Amino acid sequence: MRACSGSAVSPASAFERAEAPNGRPVARVLLDSALPQLDHLFDYAVPDELAEVLRVGQRVRVPFRSKDRKNFGYIVEFAERSEFSGSLAPIADTVGTVPMLTPEIWRLARAVSDRAGGSAGDILRLAIPTRQVRVEKQHLAASAADAEAVRPAGAGPEGGGSAGEGSEGGGSAGEGSEGEGSAGDVSEGDATGLPGTGGLEAPAGTPEAAIAAELVTGARLAHLASHGPERLETGEWVGGWAAQLAKIALAVFELGRSAILVVPDYRDLDQLRDALAALGHEETIRVDSRQSNAERYAGFLRALDAEPRIILGNRSAVYAPAHRLGAIIVWDDGDPLLAEPLAPYVHARDAALVRASLRGEAPLVDEGDEGAPRPGLLFASHARSAEVQRLVEIGYVRSQLNPPRRTRVIHADSSMTPDAFAGRVPEYAARTIREGLRSGPVLVQVATPGYAPVAVCVECGDLARCAACAGPIGFRVVGRASCRWCGEYAADWRCPTCDGRRMEERGMGSARTVEQFERQFEGARVILSDGEHPRERIDARPALVVATRGAEPLAAGGYRAVVLLDAERLLGLESLRAGEDCLRWWENAAALAAPDGRCLMASGGGPVVQAFVLGQTEQWLRGELRDRQALRYPPAVRVASVSGGPAEVERALAQLDGLSGVDRLGPTPIPPGGPANTPRGLVRAIVRFDYARGDEVARRLRGALVADAAGSSARSRGRQPGRARPEALRLRFDDRGVFDG
DNA sequence: AGCACGCCGACT
DNA sequence: GTCGGCGTGCTC
C-alpha cells in the first residue's frame, strides 16, 4: 500500500490537497521582500473571482505600497477576519496553480528565521526554486496522466493515504513494534509490482532497518560510521558510510515515509546516489547547487507530490518539502560546507534540529503532512562535531552504542624516527608508502594546497608580506610568488627589513610534495588531488595520491595505506575548532583505507593526535566541551555578532539589558579594509547567551534591527543611491568563525 | 523603495 | 491663516 506503492494510489494533486478559503474572506500573505520591516503577514481580501482557485501555499501577486504597484508573495493562511484596521486590498492574481509553500515548510522557515534573527523570506528563497512554467506544465500533465490511469477503480484521493495514517497513529509513542508492523506492509507493497520496487531487498532485521524504524517514530540519533569503502552490486566503490546511509534511507522509504539526506558536497551526493541506485532506488530527488533551475524545479515539484520520496542534496535540501517526512539524515555535520553563507546564515544542522522538533498541530486538510508524527533525526559522521557531542551529553540526541570499525592507526612520532628525513617524509613513513605501493594505492594527506605556503626573504629570513594588503606571500605555482589574501603577484618585492630582493619557498604545499615524491619514490605513479583539481575516484592500481584535506579521492578497494602529514601545521591553525577539525580530516582520510590497510600519523603529538591515534576521540571531545563550558565558548553557549555603526550597535545591545544568561564582548572597532573591504568606523560586539535564552535574545535583537531599518530610509536620504547604509545594523547568529580572529 | 502625513517656519 | 519643505514612518 502506501509506501512503495505511492504511485498506485491516485495521489491528489498538491492543489487538491492544499487548504481552500472555504468562504473565509481574508488571506494572510508573506511578501517577497528583503526588508526586515516587512517580515510579517499582510492581510488581503479574497476576491470572489479568485475564491475557487486560491489555496494555502500558493504564490500570488498583491497590490502593495500603492494600488497599482504589485508584489509577489505566498498565501500562508485564510482567516474569517482581519486585525488590520484599514480596508483590505484584494489579491490581484495567482501565479500558477501549484501551492509551493507547504504548511510544514512555512512553519520551518518561520521558526528557523526567528531563531537566527532573520527573515522568513530569506529561508524561503533557499527552500523554493524559481518557477519554470514549462517544467510545471510537464509535471502537471504527467501527474494528471498518472491519476487518470489509476483512478477509475473509484478510489478517492484519500484511499491509500488514510490507510497509512491509521497505523501511524501511535507512532511517536511506540518503540520497535510499530516498525515491525510497517515493515510487514512492505512485502505486500512489493506485490503491487510497481516499476522500480521489484529489485528492492526489504532490509528487515538489519541494523539499518532497526535504525530506520526508530527514526520514523521520531528518534534523534548520533551515529559514527565505520571506516572503509564498500563495493556496490554495480561494481562501483563508495564509502561504507554511503552504503549504510542509503540502506537506512531506503528502509525509511519502505516504511512509507520520506527521507531527506543532507551532505556537504557533490562528491558525497554522487556516492549516495550510486548506493541508492545499486539498491534499486532510482527515483531519488536531487537538490544540488550545480543543477540548472529547470532541474531543481522539476525535483521540487516531485517532492511536493503526495508520495514518499528520498531527497538527496546539499545544505538547502534540509528545506525541501517532503510527504510524510520520516527522517532527516545529516552526513558529516562538522564540514563547513553545511554552514549557509547566505543570510540568515543558518547551519543545516540547526535547520534539521528545528525541522525535527516541529510537530504538526495545525488543522489538517485531507491527509496533509501535519498529521504525520515528527521526523526522526540522524547525525552520522566519522568524527563527531562538538555541537552533536553537546546534544548527546544533554540527552537530546542518543548516541548509537555499536562501536564503528576503525582503520588501524600507527603513530610514527619523532621518538620512533629520530630526524630520519630522506625527503618529504620521515623514513618510517617512506617505508610504509613503499610497502603499500607494492600492492595498491597509497594516500598522503597534506595541509596546504599549492607549491609552498610561505615565502621568506633569502637575506634575513623574515616572512614576505604583500605590498598592497600586507597579506602573507606564498607560492601557488613554482616560481610565482603571490599574496594569499588578495592574489597580487609579488613581482618587484623588496624586503622591508633588509631591503633584500629575493625570496624563497618555505613549507610544503601539495604541488611541492608531488615534486619531492617523484624524486623520493622514483617510478611511482604520483597523483595530485586538491581543491582546484579534485579527483573523485581512482582505480586499485598502485599510485601515490597526494591530496589536501577534504579532496582525497576514493580508491577502488581502499588505500593500502593512508599517511597523514603536517599535523603540527593543521593544529597550529588559529581556530577555536582546530582540534575538532583535525579529528574530522584525519578520520575521514583514515576511512578511505582498505579494511586491512593502515593509517599512519607521520608526525606531531599532543592530546588531539593522541586521541586520534588511540581512537579516543569522544573522550577528547568531552574534555573540549568542558573547557568551552568554562570559557563560555560555543557550542557550550550560543553567540551572535552585532555589527554596524557604534550608535546602532549600542542601541541594539541596550535591548538585552537585564536578561540573565547573556553577556557581551565589545563592541570593538572592526579594522577597515580586509577581504570584505569593510568601511571605516564600524564596530562589532559579540553576545553570548545560554540556549534557553536564544528565543528572547533573537527576538530583541531582531526588534532593534527592524527599528534600525525603519528609521534608515530617513537617514539614508541624500546618500548616494543604490548603496546600503554602511552603518546599518547587522546580525549574525551562531557564526563559527567569531572567535577565530 | 516610494508615498503620505505632520510639524514648523515663512509669507500673502 | 495657509502654503510648502522636509523628517518620519508605513506599506494589508
Side-chain angles (χ1 to χ4, degrees), chain A residues 574-577 632-634 637-642 665 668 684-688 732-741:
Chain A
E574 276 306 310
S575 156
L576 179 63
R577 310 172 52 90
R632 277 179 79 75
Y633 276 157
V637 296
R638 290 183 65 199
V639 293
S641 74
V642 182
L665 306 168
T668 53
R684 181 176 75 164
I686 294 170
V687 179
R688 302 191 288 194
R732 185 159 178 170
F733 280 74
D734 303 309
D735 179 2
R736 319 143 71 67
V738 276
F739 290 113
D740 294 350

Side-chain angles (χ1 to χ4, degrees), chain A residues 416-558:
Chain A
M416 280 174 76
T417 58
D419 296 320
F421 274 75
R424 168 68 162 107
V425 292
E427 186 45 40
Y428 185 83
R431 259 204 318 276
T432 307
I433 291 172
R434 273 197 201 92
E435 264 164 45
L437 282 177
R438 279 205 282 273
S439 53
V442 172
L443 173 67
V444 177
Q445 184 195 63
V446 299
T448 348
Y451 189 74
V454 174
V456 296
C457 172
V458 173
E459 315 297 332
C460 68
D462 269 10
L463 285 181
R465 299 210 153 259
C466 174
C469 75
I473 293 176
F475 291 82
R476 279 182 58 191
V477 182
V478 199
R480 303 204 64 181
S482 61
C483 174
R484 290 222 305 271
W485 289 358
C486 69
E488 184 85 6
Y489 282 108
D492 311 310
W493 178 81
R494 250 164 199 259
C495 176
T497 318
C498 71
D499 209 37
R501 305 288 171 88
R502 294 191 315 122
M503 33 188 173
E504 63 183 359
E505 305 92 352
R506 277 295 147 78
M508 286 280 175
S510 52
R512 198 174 182 198
T513 303
V514 167
E515 190 183 283
Q516 299 266 324
F517 278 173
E518 279 167 345
R519 277 203 287 271
Q520 193 175 357
F521 304 96
E522 221 186 308
R525 182 166 65 123
V526 184
I527 296 172
L528 174 65
S529 179
D530 58 19
E532 270 180 46
H533 309 283
R535 291 279 298 259
E536 202 163 336
R537 289 191 160 115
I538 60 152
D539 57 43
R541 289 178 298 153
L544 183 48
V545 178
V546 176
T548 51
R549 58 212 145 92
E552 299 90 351
L554 192 77

Side-chain angles (χ1 to χ4, degrees), chain A residues 24 32 37 45 118 122 206 210 219 247-248 292 307 344 347 398 424 426 454 505-506 524 596 631 646 672:
Chain A
R24 287 167 295 182
D32 277 10
Q37 317 91 288
D122 286 336
T206 64
K247 283 179 201 159
I248 294 171
S292 71
E307 295 181 51
H347 196 285
R398 187 156 53 79
R424 168 68 162 107
V454 174
E505 305 92 352
R506 277 295 147 78
D596 59 344
L631 295 165

Side-chain angles (χ1 to χ4, degrees), chain A residues 132-140 293-295 297-298 301:
Chain A
Q132 301 257 323
V133 180
R134 185 178 51 85
V135 174
E136 191 173 294
K137 277 184 180 157
Q138 252 168 35
H139 179 87
L140 292 175
N293 229 316
E295 286 173 309
Y297 192 59
L301 290 173

